[in-house]
Amino acid sequence: MGNAALQTQGGVPCVASLADIRKTYTMGALSVEVLHGISLDFMCGDYVSIMGPSGCGKSTLMNILGCLDQPTSGSYFLGPDDTSLMPDDELSSVRGARLGFIFQSYNLIQQLNVLENIEMPLFYQGYSEEESHEIAMGLARRVGLDTRVHHKPFELSGGQQQRVAIARALAVDPLIILADEPTGNLDSKSGAEILDLFDELHDQGKTLIMVTHSDELAERSARWVKLRDGLVESDDRRG
């Protein structure tokens, strides 16, 4: 493990590298170590499911991968940079520029329409209004919502809302797309449509990391990382 910028696997570059990641939460006199030394590399184009029982550390690991939290010790290289050494403002900047998030509950802004929700990350990255509009329209078309761009989230089905979330996650062309139980609030038909879209993104070379409790969802990915008690229990690839 080490600097992700210097690593390759079969000629494929490493986009994220975790080395001996530990995370301890302290509440008064009580300290609880949730992650006990996680070391993983994620390669460009990986489609990974992170699995394990409740309390195994999946959410904590996802928060660290998403630069929403920092490890107590160890290093996390996202591209060439060790994010575990960054101050909060720099971490926020890296998060906005290099990561796309897809949540179970969509996390759309209800007062904004589809186009405005997709444009939001571009606004924070300093894109012009014209550039943002062009990119957002292209992404709305890509996820099949170009005829619904002026609708608010509450006017859309759950599956359509998740498509907006996927388009928003793609807006800045992120290094990694992070998905937390992305079909958890959807019916089986809508869930299957979202997973089909993930398959398309994977085929196009996007790097996806998904947290899920579902074996059925995990079967769609090409790599399975199973956690237990804050450690990597197994790390398997299809084929």
Side-chain angles (χ1 to χ4, degrees):
M1 303 294 167
N3 190 325
L6 302 180
Q7 296 182 61
T8 61
Q9 189 177 95
V12 178
C14 179
V15 295
S17 183
L18 301 161
D20 196 28
I21 293 292
R22 297 175 182 272
K23 181 64 180 180
T24 300
Y25 293 103
T26 301
M27 297 158 280
L30 179 66
S31 292
V32 178
E33 189 174 57
V34 179
L35 300 179
H36 304 296
I38 300 286
S39 295
L40 290 166
D41 289 335
F42 298 96
M43 315 310 291
C44 184
D46 258 348
Y47 184 2
V48 187
S49 288
I50 296 176
M51 307 176 68
S54 296
C56 71
K58 297 190 303 297
S59 295
T60 300
L61 179 59
M62 186 62 108
N63 285 341
I64 290 172
L65 285 168
C67 295
L68 296 166
D69 199 359
Q70 289 179 299
T72 303
S73 64
S75 62
Y76 170 34
F77 280 89
L78 181 60
D81 302 313
D82 188 353
T83 66
S84 56
L85 303 176
M86 289 180 179
D88 287 345
D89 57 343
E90 191 175 354
L91 199 66
S92 177
S93 177
V94 165
R95 183 169 62 241
R98 299 189 197 172
L99 298 169
F101 296 89
I102 302 167
F103 300 97
Q104 179 177 347
S105 55
Y106 324 130
N107 285 21
L108 301 177
I109 300 174
Q110 296 299 313
Q111 294 85 356
L112 302 183
N113 65 30
V114 166
L115 197 65
E116 291 164 340
N117 267 284
I118 299 171
E119 288 174 333
M120 186 58 65
L122 298 165
F123 170 79
Y124 285 111
Q125 294 304 310
Y127 285 73
S128 71
E129 186 175 341
E130 184 179 353
E131 287 177 308
S132 296
H133 184 79
E134 184 178 348
I135 292 170
M137 278 301 302
L139 287 168
R141 196 174 299 114
R142 185 174 179 180
V143 299
L145 290 175
D146 48 311
T147 62
R148 308 298 297 273
V149 292
H150 299 299
H151 288 69
K152 301 286 181 66
F154 63 83
E155 298 175 301
L156 304 175
S157 69
Q160 289 172 330
Q161 290 186 64
Q162 195 61 295
R163 285 174 177 269
V164 178
I166 291 169
R168 180 186 59 189
L170 292 169
V172 296
D173 191 20
L175 201 60
I176 301 172
I177 298 168
L178 298 167
D180 188 1
E181 297 287 358
T183 63
N185 283 342
L186 303 178
D187 59 56
S188 57
K189 181 177 182 295
S190 297
E193 290 172 352
I194 295 302
L195 292 176
D196 287 344
L197 189 50
F198 279 18
D199 289 343
E200 290 176 24
L201 294 172
H202 178 230
D203 290 343
Q204 293 161 8
K206 293 294 184 184
T207 305
L208 298 102
I209 302 175
M210 174 173 64
V211 164
T212 181
H213 288 92
S214 168
D215 290 341
E216 185 178 354
L217 261 67
E219 283 297 320
R220 300 290 288 263
S221 61
R223 179 181 173 192
W224 307 272
V225 173
K226 293 185 179 180
L227 302 185
R228 184 172 294 276
D229 300 328
L231 292 166
V232 175
E233 181 180 54
S234 61
D235 183 359
D236 300 305
R237 288 184 181 274
R238 182 180 297 163

